[in-house]
Amino acid sequence: MASTSKDNFVVLELKDPLVIGAETTQKEIFISTSDICTWNLPLILSHESIKVKAERSRLIQHSTYFSGLLVGSFSESCLDHVSVYWNLETTVNVLKFIYGCPLDLSFNNFLPLLEGALFFGLDDLLLECKTWFCRTTSTKGLSSVQIPLDSIIEIWNFGLDHAIDFLAELCTGYFARNFMWAVSCSSFSYVPFNLLCSCIEHPHLTVDSEKHLCEALLGWLTSNVGSMEFSSNTEDDYGSILEKVQLNLLPLWFASGKRRNHYFSKLADESTSDIFSLMKDPSMSSCCVLRVSGRNSRIRLTEYTEKVDLSGCPQITSAFLLSALPCSNNMDLTLTGTLNRSSVKLQCFDGARHLISQSLFQLLAFEAVCEVDVSKCPNIHFEAAIELFCKSFPSLKILKASYCSHFKLETLFHLVRECPLVNEVDLTTDVSPIIPTQVSIVSATVEEYQELGGVSYKILKDKPLLSSITKLVLKGRSDIDDMDLQKLSLLSSSLSYLNIKGCTSVTDMGISKLICKSMKLHSLVVSDTYFGRNSTLVLCSDSPLDGFPAMPCELNFSTSLAFRLQKLHIGGCKNVDVRSLLQLMSCTYSLKSLCLRETVVDDHALNNFSGSSLEKLDISETMVSGASLTQLVRRNPGLKLFKVRSCRKLSLWEGRLEVVEALPYHGFSGEELSFELSRRCTLEGAEFGWGLSPFSLKNLGPAIRSLRTITVGLGGTLGEYGLELLLTVCPLLEAVVLHFQVISDNIVKRIVESLKHIKVLGLCYCLGGLSSLSFQLSMPNLRKLRLERVTPWMTNDDLVTLTRSCTSLIELSLSGCTHLNSDSQQIISYGWPGLISIHLEDCGEVTSEGVSSLFDCKAIEDLSLRHTYAGRFSLNTVRIAKCKQQRCSLDFQCFENCRKSVHKETIILEWNSKGLKTIIVKERV
């Protein structure tokens, strides 16, 4: 119908060309723009055709599409009824925008509206879309991520196809700033190569470490190049992106482990070589490395960086740090030379505080950095490094320096003074294999380092510290004694989390005095220490102050430290008697994590625990029965970690858990414990032993469907059926360790086929017939492998097969492989060059010609050779098991010639911040 000049209205018939003819609730609806703000969109969009009465002039004014359609030379310009074929929802939203209604933009409708703005020629809508996208993609921090990665990929491709430059720029910047988040997304492998390249080149690329960047690129290459047909030239082009990785900042174990990687082998060799060059000359800065290798060694830092991870990099020194941190100006060669000489001085003098000239080197400050991880960096001079950290990272809150035994207690106080915002410090080292309460020490000597001496308690007390430290981890620090704990009490005003597990040089009295002054304490980890009666009294006393109370409060524990504790680990503490445990369990209520491993806890003590918030429980190797466990599970439905391995009061009888000497209430059976766990709990980790059978495993079904790790120990009798059931019920398992179980090739095959993401596999002292067929299937994600007394037939050929099946191993433990020989070392070091832990016991003649080939595993940190070794290579602990020959009294025919090796004693060499400690014990540890 033709329109007159006086008619200012036009009817738009909206149709979606992709759904014409599809079944809809109704065929047609007629609406007007006069009430556009009250439109019922779900109702309107349920129709196949939408007729809208709209003002012709308003459409012409705001849209070039409608201007050309209704004013131009098109035949529709003289009609009062025109058809528009486009996505209905987008078209309706475009009309609402034209009429001034606010739009609710999101990543779900952004692209349709942007495309609608382009199609209908709406400059204002285009500007609003651009403004929204700019604002959304410029937000800081991973917590503000709003746009899914697959949407970013889609938007980037759209911008590329439609030549919209701002889309590509904003997508690349968003991707670069949130790279660590993007890598964790399942759609990361679908990122286009050009987008990935642009991201790597972007100045805002934010990664925690070069290792994370390298892993991400290797994962992308494996998913894309490996799954498609590419020419060698194309593959080389794609692989060239790895050259953007700064090889000198990779961890040694990581670089060594990638020497067999198809895409990274050449660069891995180059990285390993550079790392060792730096280790041989600790005074060499990154500037020197740049001149030698031609590669940049700047730590990637942006205004968005929140974490700096340099862990596992033995090449990092204070001199290296000084030149690798970004500075405010480019230094010329003269200044660089001066810097290098200054850095040498920083490395050579081990005195008190080292002042760094700010006029020499103007470091940039990165306010967003709140965490630095320099664990396993043995060559860092921490006094100097702290000076750098306080300048570059003024907002530093978390420092992780685990496995750096040279980090002294005095350095901790220096850190508190220079970086006042630090609230979490992790100084973990290897826990000594010598737990004094568990072994018989024959002799012990200490060779202390020559040093100027530490800061006395009096000096520290006279200079008050404003400490913000709330979490302090000193796990394994055998060099810390009671005097050190007294110094640490100066930090106790803010301390809420304390971990001194394995600190074997501190006494119960020393621990109790520190606890007494830590009034904000809510987490206490003191496993394998002398924690005992005195410490228990302090925890249970009513509002402990200086000194010790005469008697604990018997009636009201709500003001005691024990009542407020959320985490209590006293596993292996032999000094805690039955009475103390009973008292402690009676006082605790708020616990979320409880470890009573290898203590004298019994049913009476456990039933005195009335808390209902437990998430983690470890009562391994105790005399607790199933009856008391059932009651505890009823009160704590939030349990996620459940360890009951080697609890002998849980025994198997006709498919049920029978209680030996159970509590005096009637009708208990193992079914009740299984039922309570399955009805109330969703476990993520578990360790079972006595009492575990296929029957109880079946009853546990709902509780273990989300299980990630499981260990089955002595007393568990799963059999082949039970193990098959376990793999069926628990498809998410990532770690499986089996002790004394009946296994077969079929079981191992099922493990490999069912658990695609398995990272840890341990088969220890298991029965059954395994053959080389068990390990011919690929396990590319396996990181730790333990084969102890299950593969006596293993030969070098079998070992070669294993290296091809498990390409990503970093920890290997073999025992009882009597057919191995000296050539096995080369197979191990070549097949797994990135190993950090090697345990070999009774493996034939594997060390008959020395152990030099094992040191081709450049990143080795833990080496255990039983019935073989002596020496040290960047190790904290060396254990030497001495044996003696003993006649076999049972062989009467060859009495004189029949001898066997039996254990005599164990020599342990331990290096810590104070010196070398040599201990001889009777036991085999």
Side-chain angles (χ1 to χ4, degrees), residues 293-306:
S293 65
R295 291 186 177 274
N296 185 23
S297 296
R298 291 285 187 197
I299 299 174
R300 294 182 195 268
L301 290 167
T302 71
E303 61 182 292
Y304 306 96
T305 303
E306 296 180 359

Side-chain angles (χ1 to χ4, degrees), residues 248 284-297:
N248 300 314
M284 186 183 296
S285 68
S286 64
C287 302
C288 301
V289 176
L290 177 60
R291 291 201 298 268
V292 173
S293 65
R295 291 186 177 274
N296 185 23
S297 296

Side-chain angles (χ1 to χ4, degrees), residues 864-925:
S864 177
L865 304 173
R866 291 195 186 275
H867 299 160
T868 56
Y869 169 77
R872 184 189 184 214
F873 183 79
S874 299
L875 303 174
N876 288 330
T877 305
V878 172
R879 281 174 277 183
I880 303 174
K882 294 181 66 176
C883 299
K884 61 183 178 181
Q885 295 295 316
Q886 179 174 296
R887 292 176 179 176
C888 181
S889 58
L890 298 179
D891 195 334
F892 297 102
Q893 296 179 350
C894 304
F895 183 77
E896 293 297 328
N897 297 325
C898 181
R899 292 174 176 270
K900 64 177 182 178
S901 295
V902 296
H903 178 77
K904 180 182 179 182
E905 59 192 15
T906 304
I907 303 173
I908 298 95
L909 307 177
E910 293 181 352
W911 284 265
N912 55 44
S913 66
K914 294 183 178 179
L916 168 63
K917 188 176 184 180
T918 304
I919 307 171
I920 302 176
V921 300
K922 292 181 180 180
E923 289 81 0
R924 172 174 168 163
V925 295

Side-chain angles (χ1 to χ4, degrees), residues 51 102 117 339 438 487 540 547 768 806 844-845 886 893:
K51 292 184 177 180
L339 171 63
Q438 300 178 14
K487 296 175 184 177
C540 297
C806 311
E845 300 181 351
Q886 179 174 296
Q893 296 179 350

Side-chain angles (χ1 to χ4, degrees), residues 585-621:
M585 289 297 95
S586 301
C587 295
T588 52
Y589 179 79
S590 305
L591 287 177
K592 294 183 178 180
S593 180
L594 174 63
C595 174
L596 300 173
R597 163 187 56 85
E598 298 178 60
T599 63
V600 293
V601 65
D602 57 13
D603 289 344
H604 187 38
L606 193 63
N607 277 277
N608 271 274
F609 171 68
S610 59
S612 58
S613 304
L614 271 185
E615 297 177 1
K616 299 179 181 180
L617 175 67
D618 184 357
I619 55 166
S620 304
E621 300 187 49

Side-chain angles (χ1 to χ4, degrees), residues 630-832:
T630 301
Q631 294 185 44
L632 185 142
V633 170
R634 282 197 186 109
R635 297 192 304 268
N636 294 272
L639 274 174
K640 296 179 181 178
L641 180 67
F642 189 66
K643 295 184 178 182
V644 292
R645 184 179 168 192
S646 299
C647 290
R648 291 182 174 272
K649 279 197 172 182
L650 300 177
S651 61
L652 188 68
W653 180 253
E654 295 183 354
R656 294 187 176 190
L657 291 170
E658 180 188 37
V659 180
V660 182
E661 301 177 10
L663 290 178
Y665 72 87
H666 304 289
F668 173 79
S669 73
E671 291 182 54
E672 292 183 44
L673 177 57
S674 301
F675 174 73
E676 291 297 334
L677 282 169
S678 64
R679 187 167 71 96
R680 298 175 183 273
C681 303
T682 302
L683 300 179
E684 297 176 0
E687 291 186 7
F688 297 109
W690 294 98
L692 184 68
S693 66
F695 179 80
S696 57
L697 189 67
K698 188 174 182 180
N699 287 341
L700 284 171
I704 59 177
R705 282 175 184 160
S706 300
L707 211 59
R708 300 282 180 172
T709 65
I710 188 171
T711 297
V712 180
L714 182 64
T717 54
L718 289 180
E720 186 161 341
Y721 170 74
L723 290 171
E724 290 269 3
L725 180 62
L726 175 69
L727 299 175
T728 302
V729 176
C730 311
L732 303 179
L733 280 172
E734 296 179 356
V736 178
V737 180
L738 305 176
H739 295 262
F740 302 102
Q741 299 301 302
V742 178
I743 58 175
S744 64
D745 284 341
N746 183 54
I747 288 297
V748 176
K749 182 180 178 182
R750 282 277 285 115
I751 290 175
V752 175
E753 292 177 343
S754 303
L755 309 177
K756 297 298 183 182
H757 301 289
I758 188 168
K759 297 177 181 177
V760 179
L761 177 62
L763 304 175
C764 309
Y765 299 90
C766 291
L767 306 175
L770 286 187
S771 70
S772 58
L773 295 175
S774 296
F775 302 102
Q776 292 181 0
L777 296 175
S778 177
M779 292 181 276
N781 297 312
L782 196 68
R783 306 289 281 172
K784 301 179 182 180
L785 177 64
R786 294 170 59 191
L787 300 175
E788 299 178 3
R789 308 289 176 179
V790 293
T791 54
W793 41 261
M794 181 177 286
T795 64
N796 284 343
D797 289 340
D798 298 323
L799 196 58
V800 170
T801 301
L802 197 59
T803 63
R804 293 170 179 168
S805 301
C806 311
T807 57
S808 302
L809 279 192
I810 60 172
E811 294 187 16
L812 173 68
S813 178
L814 300 176
S815 66
C817 303
T818 56
H819 295 291
L820 299 183
N821 55 35
S822 57
D823 293 336
S824 306
Q825 290 186 40
Q826 190 171 3
I827 296 172
I828 291 173
S829 60
Y830 177 77
W832 297 299

